[in-house]
Amino acid sequence: MKNLLGGKGANLAEMSSTGVPVPPGFTITTEVCTEYNKLGREKIVEVLKDDVEKEIAKIEEQTNTKFGSNETPCLLSVRSGARVSMPGMMDTVLNLGLNDEAVEGLAKKTNNDRFAWDSYRRFIQMYGDVVMGLEPESKEDPDPFEEIIENLKEKKGVEKDVDLTTDDLKNMVQEFKNIIKKRLGKEFPQDPWEQLWGAVMAVFDSWNTPRAKYYRQMHKIPEEWGTAVNVMAMVFGNMGEDSGTGVAFTRDAATGENVFNGEFLMNAQGEDVVAGIRTPQQITKAGSQNWAKLQGVSEEERKKTFPSLEEMFPDIYKELYDIQESLEKHYKDMQDLEFTIQEGKLWLLQTRNGKRTGAAMVKIAMDMLDEGILDEKTAVLRNEPNKLDELLHPVFNPEGLKEATTIAKGLPASPGAATGQLVFFADDAEEWGNQGKDVILARTETSPEDLKGMNLARGILTSRGGMTSHAAVVARGMGKCCIAGAGSVQINYRKKTMTVDGKTYQEGDWVSLNGSTGEMYEGKVPTHDPELSGNFARVMELSEKYAKMGVRTNADTPYDSKTAREFGAIGIGLCRTEHMFFEGDRITAMREMILSTKKEDRVKALHKLLPMQREDFEGIFEAMQDLPVTVRLLDPPLHEFVPHEEKNQKQMADELGVSLEEVQKTVDSLHEMNPMLGHRGCRLGNTYPEITEMQVRAIIEAALNLKKKGIKAYPEIMVPLTGIFEEMKMQENIARATAEKVFEEYNDRIDYLVGTMIEVPRATVIADKIAESAEFFSFGTNDLTQMTFGYSRDDAGKFLPVYMNNGILKDDPFQILDQEGVGQLVEMGTKRGRQTRKDLKVGICGEHGGEPRSVEFCHGVGMNYVSCSPYRVPIARLAAAQAAIKEKQNQ
Ligand code: PEP
Ligand code: MG
């Protein structure tokens, strides 16, 4: 049902059928959105017209109103709703159906002039923005409608919108219509049907806005899904002091704690809560008291100005409480609800699985398991692997915090520790973030336009808005630290400054945010590694229980190896040895080897490298003791080890005691047109066998040395870039002969394997032959993707974004394994390899080894393990468990 009706539409239908009070309405399906994109507006209106008219007639009947009537106008809300929720990304229009005459009718019918005109001005404002496209002229300019409101308030000397009179609102309506006419050259439409079709199409169009596209890319939501459109009778939260609107969560979306919580505003419409224009009140008394403590509001002041819904309207609170309880039970997940109270009657406008932080995700899943709501497998599936990443990042040092100067306090909207330089515009956050700078984005409030900048910022601060404001909801969804509604902060967009209690901070100043307490500090506060116990550890244990594949790590230092081991890696799947050649005087010995024209000279230079390599391996083997370590022989082309600037070439010549010309001659001779397809990988080891000999000797000697100390090492020697059986065989022969020599010298032995990377397409085709020599395979899907697509790994960034924007490619194949093409080669390579060697050990060590969807694919192919960078190990472990669970469920 969700696929057709969208999440919102399906849940509304379900709520309505279970007796939850939901306003009457209907849903235009996601299929129509797809058709609209192909056929255009006119055709779609023609197709839908009869059905929509029939549905509206039903709403009219139930609400005793008439669409287009001047006396009893039927007013509608038009809202988006994709299969999965994309909060705030697409458009909404409320109060549709009002015009210059209907507003009078509404005023008369409700006997409430102010309400009618307030509704009308809100409608024009939303419609003008969403459907007609009236926007600020530049980023520093305020929203044109907001500017009119602010000017009017200033003229009248009032602070709040609610202090404006009916006449003020009438003037506002006129000014709104004028600015639309002036800026857009068109009138605000008076015909309700024109309004309705305009709004429906605008919602469809909002599926394709850059921000929605960006959100989909971020969350891997397919482009072709489209959005549904929900048309519903309006219920009004702005009908007076017994009306209001709010957002509630069945559990805490920031921490996962099992407490009902939320915010509401009296005499307001839904958008007011999300936009953070007024300070919302808390739903529960406990929440309200907590909030007051954080904001420094006294209990007396709280009761007077910000009482909770529980205290103000206990009956409505009780009804809402019961509904949230039953909805959570029904959906078996934390719910995010929207509700409106119209003249003392409660209406539910939406329920959906609430967005949450990584910490909340893990806690809610484990709590629901303990509460018997979920079984183990479902609890494992409830965790989104990539979101575990949030739990692995540093938190502030308690010592550091003691010494930090607090600048301001706001609401702890999304936990975490963030330190960065202040910027005040989302596009600056994007630019600075792309330059590798750490930034904190500070805004009065955020809007969906700011998404990209928010994503690139370390943390987000807003001076307005509550726990359910746009900034708060989006930050939690991204797992980004956020403080919302820090009321003492004044932001000046023109000057790019932030002033708090008389002190001004400039763009670029460093601040730190504590999203768990809502405190902002001056400068950089030191951090330390997070605690990986509790619920996180439980999720990892369950993953262990259900996963079939193991997870190894790509690491080439003892430090990284240890980190990965703590995260649960069961070995190293790829130790790239080339990184070891750059440190200290190693590079000099390496260059000496490269400059050598005779084998003896090369061997001499390599001899200098041997003890250093051996030491490296000893460190890594020791960190990974008792676990296998796959060491890859030298892979990159030799030109990567020589300098290309004359100044550095001169230095190299001096160090090695040769002439500059000689260095330059060698550098020139190493030049290749296509180095990634050139003299690299096993092609190096086969032209200069002495390199392989030195490396294998270092590996075996290291293992034997550790054996003497009682430490067990299981080296797996990996040949890179094999494409031909004979080149693999030659490397195997060199490796085995060298190992035997060392065993003889030591008069001792260890177990080791010789295997290969499968990263040249040809190798996947002749994998059965290669397996005659290789004892294991590890798919190097970085190179395999490069060579299968014919895309350079280093240059594809120039066209891949265009390809993805135009839908030529759904994903970046260097990030998410291309199952359709590259995946087939992986599958074939595995099968053919195992035809020769039944229990051939197969793994993957390209970037894809830590990407959840690719991990699922690897499980399906029957790999023994995936290998990824240390911080992705927990993600891959969870993804591996989920793959196994899903496979069982589908059987
Ligand atoms: C690969 O090609 O996938 C791989 C792991 O090797 P590298 O990235 O070092 O080329
Ligand atoms: Mg490679």
Side-chain angles (χ1 to χ4, degrees):
M1 203 154 71
K2 271 197 177 148
N3 294 359
L4 263 188
L5 299 183
K8 190 182 292 166
N11 289 353
L12 279 168
E14 212 168 344
M15 278 201 286
S16 165
S17 70
T18 54
V20 175
V22 169
F26 62 94
T27 301
I28 301 173
T29 65
T30 52
E31 266 177 0
V32 180
C33 181
T34 316
E35 289 301 307
Y36 164 75
N37 287 332
K38 285 189 228 147
L39 303 174
R41 173 180 171 140
E42 248 167 68
K43 260 260 144 29
I44 285 294
V45 173
E46 203 182 299
V47 175
L48 287 183
K49 202 164 165 285
D50 287 351
D51 283 339
V52 167
E53 280 176 6
K54 267 186 223 146
E55 290 296 334
I56 293 216
K58 282 189 214 158
I59 298 178
E60 290 172 338
E61 208 183 299
Q62 289 180 63
T63 54
N64 220 352
T65 56
K66 189 110 196 85
F67 193 55
S69 153
N70 292 339
E71 285 82 41
T72 53
C74 171
L75 302 186
L76 302 172
S77 70
V78 178
R79 304 195 293 165
S80 61
R83 254 190 237 190
V84 293
S85 82
M86 296 168 51
M89 284 305 114
M90 289 177 294
D91 287 332
T92 290
V93 180
L94 302 179
N95 306 338
L96 189 138
L98 281 174
N99 57 26
D100 292 351
E101 279 154 13
V103 66
E104 304 280 7
L106 182 68
K108 217 189 257 161
K109 187 182 144 206
T110 57
N111 206 9
N112 189 337
D113 279 3
R114 193 183 184 287
F115 154 73
W117 284 93
D118 187 38
S119 302
Y120 192 28
R121 73 94 186 162
R122 283 166 182 277
F123 174 45
I124 301 175
Q125 189 173 347
M126 259 188 171
Y127 199 91
D129 168 18
V130 166
V131 185
M132 304 183 81
L134 184 61
E135 283 175 354
E137 280 173 320
S138 82
K139 70 175 185 184
E140 286 89 2
D141 284 340
D143 174 273
F145 297 114
E146 289 298 331
E147 192 174 26
I148 291 172
I149 301 173
E150 288 310 313
N151 288 343
L152 205 76
K153 284 201 281 197
E154 204 177 305
K155 207 167 99 191
K156 300 280 298 188
V158 297
E159 252 181 46
K160 295 188 196 141
D161 291 11
V162 280
D163 297 327
L164 294 169
T165 63
T166 308
D167 281 340
D168 295 333
L169 294 168
K170 285 184 184 174
N171 285 337
M172 206 190 280
V173 161
Q174 198 47 53
E175 284 197 47
F176 280 3
K177 287 197 291 191
N178 291 347
I179 192 139
I180 288 176
K181 181 79 206 288
K182 189 169 144 220
R183 290 258 197 100
L184 303 176
K186 334 183 232 206
E187 298 286 351
F188 176 77
Q190 292 289 313
D191 173 10
W193 285 103
E194 186 185 339
Q195 293 172 358
L196 178 62
W197 292 119
V200 170
M201 304 308 153
V203 171
F204 284 152
D205 285 334
S206 69
W207 176 257
N208 286 320
T209 55
R211 68 176 191 232
K213 284 191 164 175
Y214 183 71
Y215 187 91
R216 287 199 289 278
Q217 266 174 25
M218 230 164 69
H219 296 272
K220 309 285 172 223
I221 299 170
E223 285 289 307
E224 62 272 13
W225 279 4
T227 179
V229 182
N230 298 291
V231 181
M232 225 161 62
M234 279 299 301
V235 285
F236 294 96
N238 57 336
M239 275 188 110
E241 290 310 316
D242 57 353
S243 301
T245 186
V247 177
F249 298 91
T250 59
R251 299 183 188 222
D252 191 318
T255 63
E257 222 182 309
N258 188 2
V259 283
F260 178 47
N261 66 99
E263 295 173 334
F264 73 105
L265 278 173
M266 293 313 292
N267 202 5
Q269 279 199 327
E271 296 305 297
D272 300 344
V273 184
V274 181
I277 289 165
R278 275 161 56 192
T279 306
Q281 287 155 255
Q282 297 296 309
I283 291 181
T284 67
K285 185 175 170 193
S288 176
Q289 285 172 331
N290 240 339
W291 171 88
K293 221 193 273 159
L294 280 168
Q295 297 281 328
V297 172
S298 71
E299 178 64 4
E300 204 180 323
E301 169 76 5
R302 181 194 76 77
K303 274 197 201 144
K304 204 172 89 206
T305 325
F306 303 103
S308 64
L309 183 74
E310 187 175 359
E311 292 158 290
M312 286 174 81
F313 300 103
D315 292 346
I316 299 175
Y317 172 78
K318 169 93 181 34
E319 190 184 352
L320 181 62
Y321 187 88
D322 292 345
I323 289 174
Q324 65 90 19
E325 214 171 36
S326 71
L327 285 174
E328 189 183 277
K329 250 193 214 127
H330 179 78
Y331 289 105
K332 294 187 176 17
D333 199 355
M334 186 262 271
Q335 296 297 294
D336 161 355
L337 323 165
E338 273 177 33
F339 64 92
T340 284
I341 301 162
Q342 177 176 316
E343 296 181 306
K345 170 151 178 49
L346 176 68
W347 295 95
L348 268 286
L349 304 183
Q350 165 158 308
T351 187
R352 58 185 169 194
N353 296 339
K355 301 272 173 226
R356 64 204 74 177
T357 63
M361 166 186 85
V362 165
K363 177 161 170 57
I364 291 173
M366 291 304 103
D367 282 355
M368 288 191 160
L369 173 65
D370 294 340
E371 290 157 26
I373 300 171
L374 304 177
D375 60 25
E376 276 184 2
K377 289 179 185 170
T378 319
V380 169
L381 291 174
R382 273 300 161 75
N383 295 287
E384 203 184 306
N386 280 328
K387 276 189 90 72
L388 287 183
D389 187 49
E390 291 168 33
L391 300 171
L392 311 179
H393 291 300
V395 292
F396 285 130
N397 263 342
E399 269 77 67
L401 280 182
K402 266 187 222 148
E403 282 162 28
T405 314
T406 306
I407 306 175
K409 246 179 146 182
L411 301 170
S414 183
T419 293
Q421 293 175 276
L422 276 173
V423 291
F424 300 97
F425 292 101
D427 50 3
D428 292 333
E430 195 183 331
E431 198 184 316
W432 292 35
N434 279 329
Q435 290 165 7
K437 293 181 183 166
D438 294 333
V439 298
I440 301 290
L441 175 64
R443 307 245 343 135
T444 355
E445 71 249 354
T446 61
S447 79
E449 256 63 46
D450 300 331
L451 194 66
K452 255 191 191 167
M454 292 170 81
N455 195 26
L456 280 155
R458 294 267 157 213
I460 297 149
L461 170 91
T462 65
S463 58
R464 294 205 303 225
M467 295 292 276
T468 51
S469 63
H470 177 265
V473 172
V474 171
R476 283 196 295 270
M478 291 176 171
K480 196 139 289 201
C481 161
C482 172
I483 298 176
S488 60
V489 174
Q490 281 173 324
I491 290 168
N492 186 322
Y493 288 129
R494 284 190 199 284
K495 291 191 189 152
K496 297 193 174 178
T497 60
M498 166 181 99
T499 306
V500 199
D501 301 332
K503 185 161 180 188
T504 298
Y505 298 84
Q506 311 287 336
E507 181 184 66
D509 284 350
W510 285 85
V511 294
S512 299
L513 306 185
N514 188 340
S516 313
T517 61
E519 278 165 301
M520 169 161 60
Y521 308 100
E522 229 168 57
K524 301 181 192 178
V525 178
T527 54
H528 69 91
D529 286 341
E531 203 62 59
L532 295 177
S533 52
N535 289 315
F536 174 80
R538 287 183 69 194
V539 171
M540 286 294 102
E541 270 162 37
L542 286 174
S543 300
E544 191 69 47
K545 180 168 170 186
Y546 289 102
K548 290 226 179 82
M549 280 190 304
V551 176
R552 294 195 186 188
T553 190
N554 295 355
D556 43 31
T557 64
Y559 179 81
D560 280 356
S561 311
K562 242 198 320 262
T563 309
R565 199 174 177 153
E566 277 159 20
F567 286 152
I570 56 154
I572 289 184
L574 173 64
C575 170
R576 292 176 166 105
T577 49
E578 56 269 20
H579 296 166
M580 300 168 178
F581 290 120
F582 285 97
E583 278 165 37
D585 43 2
R586 297 162 181 219
I587 189 71
T588 315
M590 185 68 185
R591 286 171 178 172
E592 210 178 306
M593 191 274 293
I594 293 171
L595 272 188
S596 314
T597 44
K598 288 196 294 261
K599 182 167 174 176
E600 308 101 78
D601 295 343
R602 253 192 318 271
V603 171
K604 230 196 273 166
L606 285 165
H607 204 70
K608 290 186 192 162
L609 284 169
L610 175 68
M612 306 186 221
Q613 276 259 277
R614 192 172 53 218
E615 215 177 291
D616 291 333
F617 296 140
E618 282 175 5
I620 293 169
F621 291 163
E622 189 168 352
M624 294 307 276
Q625 67 172 299
D626 298 327
L627 297 176
V629 175
T630 309
V631 182
R632 180 178 72 186
L633 303 176
L634 192 67
D635 180 36
L638 295 182
H639 82 89
E640 287 191 12
F641 299 94
V642 292
H644 292 272
E645 277 176 30
E646 189 167 315
K647 193 178 92 214
N648 301 335
Q649 289 174 343
K650 178 87 184 60
Q651 198 187 341
M652 172 175 160
D654 291 346
E655 269 169 24
L656 298 181
V658 295
S659 68
L660 174 65
E661 288 71 36
E662 203 173 325
V663 170
Q664 285 176 333
K665 218 170 86 201
T666 309
V667 173
D668 283 349
S669 75
L670 291 175
H671 176 78
E672 291 176 307
M673 298 300 277
N674 263 321
M676 289 306 275
L677 298 178
H679 197 179
R680 58 171 290 219
C682 61
R683 300 158 205 171
L684 276 177
N686 281 333
T687 27
Y688 306 118
E690 51 279 11
I691 299 181
T692 305
E693 280 164 14
M694 184 280 283
Q695 290 200 291
V696 172
R697 176 172 278 277
I699 295 167
I700 302 291
E701 285 185 359
L704 285 167
N705 288 348
L706 289 184
K707 189 179 171 189
K708 280 190 205 147
K709 291 198 225 164
I711 297 168
K712 274 196 191 131
Y714 294 96
E716 300 177 345
I717 297 163
M718 181 153 77
V719 178
L721 223 73
T722 308
I724 309 167
F725 166 74
E726 284 74 10
E727 64 184 352
M728 175 62 211
K729 190 68 199 166
M730 183 168 169
Q731 285 291 289
E732 188 206 343
N733 290 345
I734 298 169
R736 295 205 184 278
T738 308
E740 283 307 321
K741 225 192 260 168
V742 179
F743 291 156
E744 240 169 68
E745 288 164 19
Y746 273 66
N747 199 17
D748 197 2
R749 311 183 67 85
I750 47 130
D751 289 332
Y752 70 99
L753 300 177
V754 182
T756 183
M757 294 196 64
I758 301 287
E759 49 185 346
V760 173
R762 189 177 195 277
T764 67
V765 181
I766 58 146
D768 48 342
K769 279 227 74 188
I770 289 183
E772 286 171 21
S773 163
E775 291 178 297
F776 65 89
F777 280 1
S778 178
F779 283 91
T781 42
N782 301 332
D783 271 308
L784 191 58
T785 299
Q786 166 165 269
M787 288 183 237
T788 304
F789 274 92
Y791 293 168
S792 158
R793 275 162 79 168
D794 305 311
D795 305 310
K798 289 194 182 134
F799 60 86
L800 282 183
V802 182
Y803 266 35
M804 286 188 287
N805 270 338
N806 294 337
I808 299 174
L809 275 174
K810 281 202 183 108
D811 306 296
D812 177 344
F814 289 106
Q815 283 177 22
I816 296 178
L817 187 75
D818 159 52
Q819 298 183 13
E820 191 187 11
V822 180
Q824 281 206 42
L825 293 179
V826 171
E827 205 169 350
M828 178 173 71
T830 307
K831 252 195 213 134
R832 293 194 177 174
R834 285 186 178 150
Q835 277 167 17
T836 304
R837 228 181 251 269
K838 217 173 109 240
D839 34 359
L840 180 78
K841 189 155 58 166
V842 178
I844 180 175
C845 61
E847 283 308 303
H848 310 90
E851 193 283 314
R853 266 201 275 163
S854 314
V855 171
E856 186 175 350
F857 176 81
C858 295
H859 169 91
V861 167
M863 282 193 192
N864 301 82
Y865 69 87
V866 296
S867 185
C868 54
S869 58
Y871 277 85
R872 297 202 72 82
V873 167
I875 297 168
R877 290 177 69 197
L878 175 58
Q882 293 186 341
I885 293 170
K886 281 194 234 165
E887 187 187 52
K888 264 251 164 74
Q889 287 177 346
N890 292 335
Q891 271 168 2

